[in-house]
Amino acid sequence: MRTRKLITVAIVAMAAVTSGYVLYRRAHSDAAPAYRTAAVQRGNIEATVAATGTLGAVTTVQVGTQVSGQISAIYVDFNSKVKKGQLIARIDPTLQQQAVEDAQSGVSRAEATLTETRLEYDLNKILHDHKIVTDPELHTAQLNYQLAKANATSAQIALDKARQNLSYTSIYAPIDGIVVERDMDVGQTVAASLSAPQLFVIAKDLSEMQILATVDESDIGQIKDDQPVSFTVQAYPGQSFTGAVRQVRINSTTVNNVVNYTAVVAVANPSGKLLPGMTATVKFLTGSANDALAVPNAALRFKPAIAASDIASEQKRTRRSST
């Protein structure tokens, strides 16, 4: 019991010393409160929502191959401008040419068999009309002829497939654009057994780009299509670029229990300064007023000093709670 009283007395004493020191400092302080003044002015004010995003091409195409083989030639490199239908790489066609020749031989065999069975069927039909060949023999000849026709069709399909695979050894640009990624070198072997391996990534016309901006769920309700946007990139400090909201995607992502949405911002890039992958600091314009009364933001915040009476009241409250 005595120990508890000692602890209580010590707490009261510490509170009294602290309060007394604060009062002493305030009573003997000659420094007057500092104030800053600013004139109320008229001007244009804007309300914005801040976000970050990544610049990218509007359309990018991954160029792969549908056949396996060794890359024998590459005709473009990073930053190369290409036209649709331009030859950009070639895979060694030796195996595919051999497959075409083998399929061609298959077609020749099937056509020969078809000719033989057709002649046999025609002969048996004549003999059957003269009661020399029985019905089962005629049916057998007819069946052989039909099977030969089917085999000839299959052989032709196999040949067409082999020729198509041979054409796949030449890789052409699917769109007009610029090569932003090259993943293979001459001499490398690509295997297309499971999925088409990526050889190039081509971006279409970097004069028109987009930003995929991440917007917090608390702000997404203020973002609308065609809303004006300004943004900056680290590569050009002090320079601001403009764009407009093209789409607000309804699919959300959750990271560390924070829900975000993606806003797609259309950006004109006629000078070519902006490059894919740049990080953009985006401001969405949600409201504005022209020729309005404006004051600095600091004028809207005020933190009063602690009065001596408030300190005394806090000291009394501390004493009562300790007893």
Side-chain angles (χ1 to χ4, degrees), residues 26-252:
R26 288 186 175 277
H28 293 80
S29 177
D30 296 331
Y35 296 95
R36 289 186 300 156
T37 60
V40 178
Q41 299 177 342
R42 286 191 175 275
N44 301 331
I45 57 176
E46 296 179 345
T48 60
V49 170
T52 58
T54 303
L55 276 159
V58 176
T59 302
T60 57
V61 178
Q62 297 178 348
V63 182
T65 173
Q66 293 180 265
V67 294
S68 302
Q70 188 180 71
I71 296 178
S72 59
I74 292 179
Y75 302 108
V76 295
D77 202 350
F78 290 94
N79 301 340
S80 296
K81 292 183 179 181
V82 298
K83 295 292 185 180
K84 182 178 180 180
Q86 177 182 337
L87 181 64
I88 58 178
R90 190 184 297 276
I91 295 175
D92 185 3
T94 302
L95 296 178
Q96 305 304 327
Q97 287 175 343
Q98 292 174 348
V100 170
E101 293 172 359
D102 184 59
Q104 183 65 62
S105 298
V107 169
S108 298
R109 289 192 299 270
E111 289 178 346
T113 303
L114 177 62
T115 300
E116 180 183 2
T117 55
R118 184 178 68 250
L119 292 174
E120 184 178 354
Y121 170 69
D122 291 342
L123 177 59
N124 279 274
K125 189 173 184 306
I126 294 173
L127 294 176
H128 180 269
D129 293 341
H130 289 79
K131 307 297 183 181
I132 299 174
V133 172
T134 63
D135 290 344
E137 290 176 325
L138 178 62
H139 291 160
T140 300
Q142 185 179 14
L143 178 60
N144 291 336
Y145 174 51
Q146 292 175 345
L147 289 175
K149 286 172 51 176
N151 290 336
T153 301
S154 297
Q156 185 61 50
I157 292 174
L159 177 60
D160 294 340
K161 181 179 179 180
R163 287 173 174 168
Q164 186 65 50
N165 287 337
L166 177 60
S167 70
Y168 288 152
T169 60
S170 297
I171 312 299
Y172 299 94
I175 60 173
D176 295 344
I178 184 171
V179 177
V180 297
E181 188 174 341
R182 177 174 65 82
D183 298 321
M184 296 292 175
D185 291 309
V186 174
Q188 284 186 260
T189 300
V190 294
S193 56
L194 299 178
S195 60
Q198 177 177 295
L199 303 182
F200 304 93
V201 175
I202 299 177
K204 181 180 180 181
D205 189 13
L206 293 183
S207 64
E208 296 291 335
M209 302 185 71
Q210 66 181 13
I211 301 174
L212 301 182
T214 301
V215 183
D216 188 87
E217 64 173 324
S218 60
D219 297 322
I220 196 63
Q222 304 179 63
I223 310 302
K224 309 295 182 184
D225 289 350
D226 300 323
Q227 197 169 37
V229 172
S230 64
F231 66 95
T232 58
V233 293
Q234 294 181 357
Y236 305 103
Q239 184 174 356
S240 180
F241 302 88
T242 60
V245 177
R246 187 176 66 185
Q247 182 187 60
V248 178
R249 296 179 177 173
I250 61 176
N251 182 44
S252 65

